[in-house]
Amino acid sequence: MLRLPSFTYLAPKTLKQALQWKHDAGPEGMYVAGGTDLYPNMKRRHQDPKVVISLAGVKALRRKPAERRNGGTADAGLALAAGMTLTEITEHRKLRRRYPVVTRGAELISTPLLRNMGTLGGNLCLDTRCTYYNQSYEWRKAIDFCMKKDGAICWVAPSSPRCWAVQSSDLAPVMVALDAQLHLVGRAADRTISAAAFYHNDGIAYLTKQPDEVLTEIRLPAPNGWDATYHKLRRRGTFDFPVLGVAIWVRWDAARVDDARIVLGGVASWPQAVPEAAEAVRGTQLEDAAIEAAATAAFRPSKPMDNTDFALAWRKEMTRVYVRRALEELRDRHATRRP
Amino acid sequence: MNGEPTQVAFAPHKTLLEVLREDLGLTGTKHGCELGECGTCTVLLDEIPVLSCLVLAQACDGRRVRTVEGMATGEGLHPLQETFADLGAAQCGYCTPGFLLTAEALLAAIPTPSRDQIREALAGNLCRCTGYLKIYEAVELAAARMRGEDAQPRPETIHGR
Amino acid sequence: MGDRPRDRRSDHDRPAGSPARRPGDLRVVGTAHRRIDAVGKVTGRTQYADDLALPRMLHAKLLRSPHAHARIAQVDVSRALALDGVHAVLTGADLPTPFGILPVSQDEHALCPDRVRFVGDPVAAVAATTEEIAAAAVDLIAVEYEPLSVVGDPAEAIAGDAPLIHDYGDAGNLHKLVNLEFGDVEEGFAAAHHVREDLYFYGGNTHLAMEQHASLAEWTPDGRLTLWSSTQTPHYVHRALARVLELPPGRIRVVATPNGGGFGGKSDPFNHEIVVAKLAMLTGRPVKIALTREEVFYCHRGRHPTLMWVKSGVARDGKLLGLHFRTLLDGGGYGSYGVASTYYTGALQTVTYQVERYKFEGARAFTNKPPCGPKRGHGTPQPRFALEVQMDKIATDLGLDPAELRLRHLVTADTITANWLRVGSMGLGACIAKVVDASGWRTRRGTLPYGRGLGLACSSYISGAGLPIYWNDMPHSGVQLKCDRGGGVTVFCGSTDIGQGSDGILATIVSEVLGVPLGEITVVSADTDLTPVDLGSYSSRVTLMSGNAAIQAAERARDIISQHAAEKLQVPAERLVFAEGRVFDAADPDVWLSFAEAVQGAEARTGTVGTVGSYTPPASPGRYRGAGVGPSPAYSYSAAVVEVEVDPDTGIIRVPKAWVAHDIGQCINPAMVMGQVEGSVYMGLGEALMEEMVYRENRGLVHKIPSMLEYKSPTTLEMCDVETHLVADPDPNGPFGAKEVGQGPLLPIPPAIANAVFDAVGVRVDEVPISPEKVLRALKDKARGGPGRTGPTAFPDIPWPEPIRVPTPWEGGDGKALKHDAAGRRGRAADQSAAALPRSGAASHPERQH
């Protein structure tokens, strides 16, 4: 049986306590939320914290979704506590009604059992993945390890100075596309950053979050005239991480796209925004030609590597198909909604 | 533990799976990967199905844990156990405890699930023997009986056509 | 149902005065009932190997090779031994005797003594007080390797500069070469109206049983060893332990625990089984090992990746006048069942459609990957895929309906095929008719919208191999039966329940014969101390063989009991009926004894009521070297129509539904039969669409995806709806007419899907798995004006030996090879034993076991 290495487990009740204990533990300490990412990694000796600080008992992270108001009246969106389980996200009625793209993204994550455990914050902080990395210690030893853990080389691209592990969260590209704001609490200060600024395109240092900081809240923009969707490519309808995720946000101005964001998951070490694809649909009515132009624009910079399921050439090719289908969905939905 | 206050001592880094099997002698909970990739080790934690291989036993202090050993009460089997046994939803039986508990949680939430709802609910449990079909039928039959219906398996379920 | 008697078998072998079982009066057999182990399984009470624990038990871990091919220069275990909690460390030198499932391939060592042959090959082992300490100790063992060049696939294996992986085999790295010719195929091609040649490839995949292999060994100071293990073949493990540990077999007890799935993956004796036994002997304490999922991928013994070249010549009406098959199997690092697997890729092509002349050339190469072996369908899904796709292409070429083409040329019942297999009952025609009707084949095929299609394929499988794995003339299965004074009956049999329900089969059969309620029958199985030998749960042999042995034992018990009962009731024994826990007069059911009273009376009269039964398959008519693989007492038949939806933009295939018909002969317990059919369809679907063993050529042939997550198996969301039709064409050799069902229905699924893809989008993927990449590549090829095909393009040159020529039955042959071929060109007398691998192999191998 694969087992965890030994460690000290701490279960703080407050955020303040959590931050203090993490500070006390120093680099040897790690936070855990649902455990569905960290514990498998610890069993494979990817991470070996001596102190594990559970955020599961921190009430502030488990608050119910709260509507945010500007000046007391105007809708300023919805705030989601990072400790909500993914099942809670999928079952939240208001969220489903007002932010179906978030519900959809969460529903597509792994399995129902895992969603009962995994959290929203955990999914956004999901470790990058790679078939050279997500292996047992013994396996990795057989290939002389890789730079993400215990080794010196990235076997995906041996001449590269960086790690090419893949961004594999479903909700990360969604949040970047929505331009959600992420609230981080540190011991010294709090800060709120855009989802895009939360990520680095590096398989190792893939988050801009400081190790001591806790992601506490995800603030969704008010649903005022925009639409979004998420399409996921994977081998099976469950279990599998995305080998391609396409998150698209558009703001309509009557029949025309006023603004758009197109973000790809699973093809880089971060949720990869493709501004040239977004530009291709701006001002259009998402006519076939515009969609094709955007699909081609997204296809070009989509550079999957040979470190996930499926052949990489096919995955790259699927970028075109999935971007096209996502845009067609948005167009068709808009057509049915307009009088 | 299965409705009884239980004290158990164990090494602090042990998972619920390990403590159940090794420290409580409850080997009904099986394991197939220990990485959350197969669903075999599913138990109910506060009536929610979770993967016991990824739950720290320490984190279960004060919470309700139910395993397959706690499904049957008194003399009889749970209706799901009855139908799994009768329809051949358990072949090698190794994934069965996980399926039973996931299905029990489903029926608690949705007494009349559609086939698609069953499929979705069980999408985190792998089985290599049955092809899942007998499992769906067993869940449907148990659901009907739990609703008080005098339901019997369809002839083609157990005899083919 | 035809006009066969329901149970021909019961008409012979019966002593005079024995109660008769009339056709059609089955009371338990054929009824759907709860299998006897079901309650244990649904309550979590069933104890699998890793559920066992003994006081003072130690835990073992194996150190496995990080190299695919290397010499072991030095092993230093001193640091491991020094670790607190470590009780013993083993290396190859401690277990020098080789072993292997086949007498001709004794090429494995419990721990590699001097050479490793794949990443994951075990090199050393540790027993410690906890699994964690054992793992830490394994990490402290220093092994110095001298890497050798690595052989990645059969093409590399036969390249001139390839290093030799083993120092035995038929030619270089070619472990086995076969060349058999039945009639002159060239004559067939010359006479043919249409000839086509095609190449196919079937990828390697693995069993992925949910239970990871585990074993527990105990050594007691009286010099006795017990091994509990998740094995499908306790008898063969027993033999391997005796051989390697150099212990008298009588001091070894092997107990096969209920398997959490097997599918062929637990059919070999394994390193870890021998290692824990040795560690228990050394430490005097019980030792357990539970493999991780990754290690199970290294045990493997799964489907051989197989490249196939097929040439077929057909008459205008589609009759196969000549069929020439070449197969090249990627065997991995060891022999395992590979010699049998190689023969099986050529054996069963002839039992479905008439083949006038048949030639088979087969080769198995050693490569530096985990060894391949038997997986559900052993060696036959690959050629079945090629043959059934080939039939589909021939139908297209000739403008015939693929179902019609097959129906026209079915092998008839009670015939002998070109390669001398005796076919008894044959229900394939009925199977095809069922799936054709149920699926709307005649109206829907070819008429569905672009992207949707139907495909049809058929298959056959053996109900047990006609010959044992090692040469002997003893029965293949034995049953002992004990009748208790209380009316209960205990059945002892060496057969192993791997989830297929073999314990239940024994109980049902005994219940039928003795009329004892199922709840009063106890089955003790798979324990070499307690149960007579059954060869194991492989080759779909258990229902037929242990079932027949159980019938014999039960009938003998019934004869003993009826002698007394007849006297007591003053009724002729022939009129006695055993049913519902009673023995009564068929003419007057009010004249009766309870079964318990009848047993008591018999015991008072003749002593303890215990009987034995055994089963040996009938001899096969084939008498040539190689005729040992393929014969079976009975062949099951299956037909399937599968519907697919192909997304032409992505190549992604969805399978909404499969219609399957299976010729089961006779259901013992239809509820279990249904489960086997559906489970087979499921596994065929996985193989067809996604399952594949993949290795990293760029990183020294490490397994790319040794996990449940990345080795893709179908979930609830991929599994198709299945409509199952059972065809009952009883076979005289089967118990109550029963044939196999555990493997056969897998076989038609991959080719039916390939054929359905062609119907849906007009392209051919001549390769399994039929992944979206391959479908899309074929579609692009077609769009560019190409043939619209993805598949292999070349078959390497193999140094085939001279063929063994065997005249077909219709050429007046007698089942033997023509002597001048074998004697003259191969310098060896024609081997007329039917035992292709065991006897002839043992004779030619220095390490013969007997």
Side-chain angles (χ1 to χ4, degrees), chain B:
Chain B
M1 241 349 286
N2 291 325
E4 292 174 4
T6 303
Q7 291 193 342
V8 56
F10 50 84
H13 60 284
K14 284 188 107 170
T15 60
L16 178 58
L17 170 70
E18 292 156 24
V19 170
L20 288 172
R21 290 177 53 81
E22 296 164 5
D23 300 293
L24 289 166
L26 294 169
T27 55
T29 303
K30 312 299 180 193
H31 58 100
C33 70
E34 303 96 68
L35 293 169
E37 301 174 350
C38 73
T40 305
C41 67
T42 303
V43 302
L44 299 183
L45 184 57
D46 294 333
E47 300 306 313
I48 293 172
V50 297
L51 300 160
S52 63
C53 72
L54 299 184
V55 173
L56 213 58
Q58 282 198 64
C60 300
D61 187 15
R63 303 176 72 179
R64 285 167 295 144
V65 178
R66 279 216 301 129
T67 65
V68 69
E69 287 92 344
M71 273 188 88
T73 48
E75 282 189 5
L77 296 174
H78 186 281
L80 279 163
Q81 291 175 312
E82 292 277 357
T83 58
F84 268 61
D86 283 337
L87 298 190
Q91 282 188 26
C92 84
Y94 199 78
C95 69
T96 304
F99 271 98
L100 283 168
L101 292 162
T102 309
E104 195 191 338
L106 167 70
L107 296 187
I110 309 175
T112 311
S114 67
R115 178 60 70 94
D116 278 343
Q117 285 172 318
I118 296 171
R119 229 189 281 268
E120 290 285 345
L122 300 179
N125 297 78
L126 289 177
C127 169
R128 290 289 279 173
C129 294
T130 62
Y132 306 109
L133 303 177
K134 287 287 168 278
I135 295 175
Y136 304 155
E137 290 172 318
V139 173
E140 286 161 354
L141 186 59
R145 290 179 180 170
M146 287 165 75
R147 295 191 302 264
E149 295 167 26
D150 178 24
Q152 295 302 320
R154 285 171 296 148
E156 62 266 29
T157 294
I158 47 177
H159 290 283
R161 288 167 203 260

Side-chain angles (χ1 to χ4, degrees), chain A residues 8-303:
Chain A
T8 301
Y9 178 77
L10 301 176
K13 296 278 178 232
T14 66
L15 204 50
K16 196 175 163 199
Q17 212 171 27
L19 291 164
Q20 183 59 47
W21 290 354
K22 174 71 178 72
H23 176 78
D24 295 347
E28 303 266 80
M30 279 186 84
Y31 295 121
V32 66
T36 56
D37 187 28
L38 181 65
Y39 292 146
N41 282 359
M42 287 175 68
K43 288 183 178 188
R44 291 180 298 225
R45 306 298 187 262
H46 296 158
Q47 281 108 39
D48 39 16
K50 296 287 167 278
V51 181
V52 172
I53 299 146
S54 171
L55 300 176
V58 175
K59 289 203 175 57
L61 298 173
R62 303 274 307 139
R63 276 199 288 264
K64 288 193 163 55
E67 283 174 50
R68 299 172 59 238
R69 299 281 166 194
N70 267 352
T73 51
D75 186 348
L78 197 67
L80 303 176
M84 285 180 81
T85 66
L86 295 165
T87 298
E88 286 165 353
I89 296 279
T90 62
E91 290 179 347
H92 198 271
R93 291 208 185 131
K94 187 178 287 175
L95 198 62
R96 182 178 291 272
R97 201 169 61 244
R98 297 177 68 196
Y99 300 90
V101 67
V102 175
T103 306
R104 181 187 171 98
E107 276 172 344
L108 292 172
I109 294 168
S110 192
T111 69
L113 303 169
L114 221 97
R115 295 197 294 272
N116 287 341
M117 306 168 73
T119 65
L120 170 61
N123 187 255
L124 293 176
C125 295
L126 183 76
D127 195 6
T128 53
R129 298 184 61 84
C130 175
T131 46
Y132 287 100
Y133 167 69
N134 296 105
Q135 304 280 4
S136 71
Y137 175 79
E138 292 76 16
W139 191 98
R140 291 185 291 115
K141 196 173 170 184
I143 63 158
D144 199 18
F145 301 106
C146 75
M147 69 164 67
K148 188 159 160 69
K149 178 65 182 168
D150 303 322
I153 289 179
C154 176
W155 293 113
V156 185
S159 58
S160 160
R162 59 161 279 209
C163 162
W164 289 85
V166 177
Q167 182 285 122
S168 302
S169 154
D170 288 296
L171 287 173
V174 170
M175 293 305 170
V176 173
L178 297 188
D179 194 26
Q181 301 295 303
L182 307 189
H183 190 68
L184 300 165
V185 176
R187 220 163 66 92
D190 298 3
R191 60 187 178 123
T192 304
I193 57 174
S194 70
F198 191 60
Y199 299 101
H200 263 317
N201 193 14
D202 183 288
I204 296 171
Y206 62 97
L207 292 182
T208 61
K209 182 179 94 64
Q210 295 305 305
D212 280 9
E213 284 181 315
V214 175
L215 170 61
T216 59
E217 201 171 82
I218 293 84
R219 296 173 183 166
L220 305 175
N224 50 1
W226 56 263
D227 194 5
T229 190
Y230 177 67
H231 285 220
K232 174 175 184 172
L233 175 63
R234 56 177 162 177
R235 182 85 59 169
R236 303 175 294 183
T238 175
F239 283 103
D240 297 340
F241 288 95
V243 295
L244 170 69
V246 173
I248 303 185
W249 172 92
V250 291
R251 192 169 60 221
W252 292 99
D253 179 7
R256 292 195 180 273
V257 172
D258 173 48
D259 196 5
R261 281 188 290 270
I262 296 180
V263 183
L264 305 179
V267 297
S269 296
W270 66 345
Q272 183 171 333
V274 196
E276 55 272 42
E279 186 54 42
V281 295
R282 223 166 266 139
T284 73
Q285 298 188 36
L286 293 184
E287 303 87 347
D288 286 348
I291 287 179
E292 212 47 55
T296 302
F299 167 80
R300 279 197 205 106
S302 169
K303 294 209 167 61

